[in-house]
Amino acid sequence: KVRLAIGRLTMKVKYLKRPFSPEKLKEMRDKGYSEQRIESYRKMVRKNVKMRKDKSQENKEAQVSIKWAADDPSIHKFTPKPRQHEGEDQENAPPLVTYTVASYFLEKYGIRLKYPKMPIVCTGKGPGNIIEWFPIEFLFQSFGEMKNSNSPEQVQDVLKFYDEFSGTD
């Protein structure tokens, strides 16, 4: 019932990336950017996302839309492919690193998840045609309703779930 309720919600993903380096801050200020504009570049927001199945898995049983625990490599782990630029020496490339969703956000954005044992949700393909998984703590209900979504019953089911399971291992 909870999975169905989350599946019908239209959500947005929102989090803050790590602060800019002093050099980058100086460069942005030299270009005349206001502090408010600089801070807005740290915000990551994706609007109108819905829970989707991970279609990148060949095994039908592995094509799920929600997995439990963002920090458990036995549940979900991935190895990002490095960008290859023309003329680069591939032999001297750094070794590939395997991440959990929790370790990726810590390494890439400097964000330590507040609830690493809570579920991660697949939102389908994002920019670059990559299947995206987000910790549930980054998902918020979007304002306004889309067809057949965000009914009071669905919202109450999700809130009841959070009340029962938040802060537990």
Side-chain angles (χ1 to χ4, degrees), residues 105-123:
F105 275 95
L106 182 60
E107 177 74 24
K108 178 97 172 150
Y109 300 115
I111 299 172
R112 184 176 305 279
L113 297 183
K114 191 172 182 181
Y115 306 106
K117 303 288 184 212
M118 290 294 283
I120 53 175
V121 175
C122 181
T123 59

Side-chain angles (χ1 to χ4, degrees), residues 140-157:
F140 298 90
Q141 181 181 354
S142 288
F143 293 108
E145 287 190 25
M146 291 186 68
K147 187 176 179 181
N148 298 325
S149 66
N150 302 338
S151 72
E153 297 83 24
Q154 294 162 347
V155 172
Q156 289 304 316
D157 286 343

Side-chain angles (χ1 to χ4, degrees), residues 4 14 18 24-25 73 75 92 105 116 124 128 132 152 158 161 163:
L4 180 63
K14 183 177 179 182
R18 76 175 72 207
K24 182 69 174 173
L25 280 173
I75 293 175
N92 296 329
F105 275 95
E132 295 183 318
V158 171
F161 171 79
D163 288 342

Side-chain angles (χ1 to χ4, degrees), residues 45-130:
V45 178
R46 291 217 24 240
K47 297 180 179 178
N48 297 328
V49 298
K50 293 188 76 138
M51 187 168 71
R52 308 230 188 273
K53 284 190 175 181
D54 183 351
K55 299 284 187 174
S56 66
Q57 303 293 324
E58 293 176 18
N59 180 355
K60 289 285 184 190
E61 285 87 38
Q63 291 184 353
V64 296
S65 53
I66 189 168
K67 295 182 181 182
W68 296 89
D71 66 347
D72 188 345
S74 67
I75 293 175
H76 184 71
K77 62 185 174 192
F78 62 97
T79 306
K81 295 177 184 169
R83 293 183 181 169
Q84 295 180 351
H85 299 286
E86 193 175 316
E88 276 189 358
D89 184 12
Q90 299 303 319
E91 294 175 8
N92 296 329
L96 297 178
V97 178
T98 300
Y99 294 101
T100 63
V101 172
S103 67
Y104 180 79
F105 275 95
L106 182 60
E107 177 74 24
K108 178 97 172 150
Y109 300 115
I111 299 172
R112 184 176 305 279
L113 297 183
K114 191 172 182 181
Y115 306 106
K117 303 288 184 212
M118 290 294 283
I120 53 175
V121 175
C122 181
T123 59
K125 290 185 179 180
N129 241 3
I130 298 170

Side-chain angles (χ1 to χ4, degrees), residues 27-43:
E27 177 186 324
M28 293 172 94
R29 288 181 182 131
D30 289 346
K31 288 182 178 179
Y33 292 177
S34 68
E35 293 300 317
Q36 185 177 12
R37 185 173 179 190
I38 292 170
E39 194 62 23
S40 73
Y41 285 130
R42 288 186 55 217
K43 288 182 186 173

